[in-house]
């Protein structure tokens, strides 16, 4: 099957309603590369789908690993989208509440500074925050913006860009 070997990620887009408006939770990637990046740098909490793992299971597992939170709502599929680097991302929406101050992310290790021979650990997600739809469109990685539109369609609040 064409494209079957492409890397795949899966994630959950947590959303809530505030004063009649939708807010979505985005995560800021950890590590030195992302430290000073803001606009166009935030992401839907997601991660790689393991071989043989259903993408929806990976989405739930990765959300917990990256945030420490277990969303309890009903999952609504938002489909898949190919990212600029070629990875396919699958996303499900789930309505719920969570305080980003409770973030407990897993960590990754890398050589830092480059060519120093020293290995350092960094959180996969260094912070998370709730955003209005307008602000989320500015903050989210370009390839994931399609999921904002799909969420709005799914909850019956399609808005003009």
């Amino acid at each position: 099957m064409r494209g079957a070997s492409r890397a795949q990620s899966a994630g959950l887009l947590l959303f809530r309603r505030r004063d009649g408006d939708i807010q979505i939770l985005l995560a800021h990637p950890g590590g030195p590369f992302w430290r000073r990046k803001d606009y166009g740098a935030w992401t839907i909490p997601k991660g790689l789908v393991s071989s043989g793992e259903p993408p929806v299971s990976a989405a739930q597992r990765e959300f917990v690993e990256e945030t420490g939170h277990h969303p309890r709502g009903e999952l609504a599929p938002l489909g898949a989208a190919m990212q600029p680097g070629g990875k396919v991302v699958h996303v499900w929406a789930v309505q719920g509440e969570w305080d980003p101050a409770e973030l407990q992310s897993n960590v990754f290790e890398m050589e830092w500074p480059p060519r120093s021979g020293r290995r350092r650990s960094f959180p996969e997600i260094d912070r998370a925050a709730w955003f209005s739809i307008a602000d989320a469109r500015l903050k989210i990685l370009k390839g994931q913006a399609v999921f904002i539109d799909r969420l709005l369609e799914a909850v019956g609040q399609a808005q003009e860009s």
Side-chain angles (χ1 to χ4, degrees), residues 5-99:
S5 63
R6 286 198 187 279
Q8 295 189 57
S9 287
L12 298 181
L13 181 55
L14 188 64
F15 73 97
R16 66 184 183 185
R17 296 176 192 269
R18 280 285 185 270
D19 301 321
D21 294 323
I22 299 288
Q23 293 182 337
I24 63 174
L25 183 93
L26 295 177
H28 187 271
F33 176 77
W34 296 100
R35 186 176 52 222
R36 291 190 173 95
K37 295 180 179 11
D38 187 38
Y39 290 99
W42 292 68
T43 183
I44 295 167
K46 62 174 181 43
L48 290 175
V49 177
S50 297
S51 178
E53 181 180 28
V56 68
S57 297
Q60 293 169 308
R61 173 183 51 77
E62 286 290 339
F63 192 93
V64 173
E65 287 178 3
E66 292 192 354
T67 68
H69 176 63
H70 294 264
R72 300 284 183 227
E74 183 179 331
L75 301 182
L78 299 180
M82 186 174 299
Q83 302 302 287
K87 183 186 294 182
V88 175
V89 176
H90 305 266
V91 173
W92 284 261
V94 59
Q95 186 170 352
E97 285 292 335
W98 180 61
D99 180 356

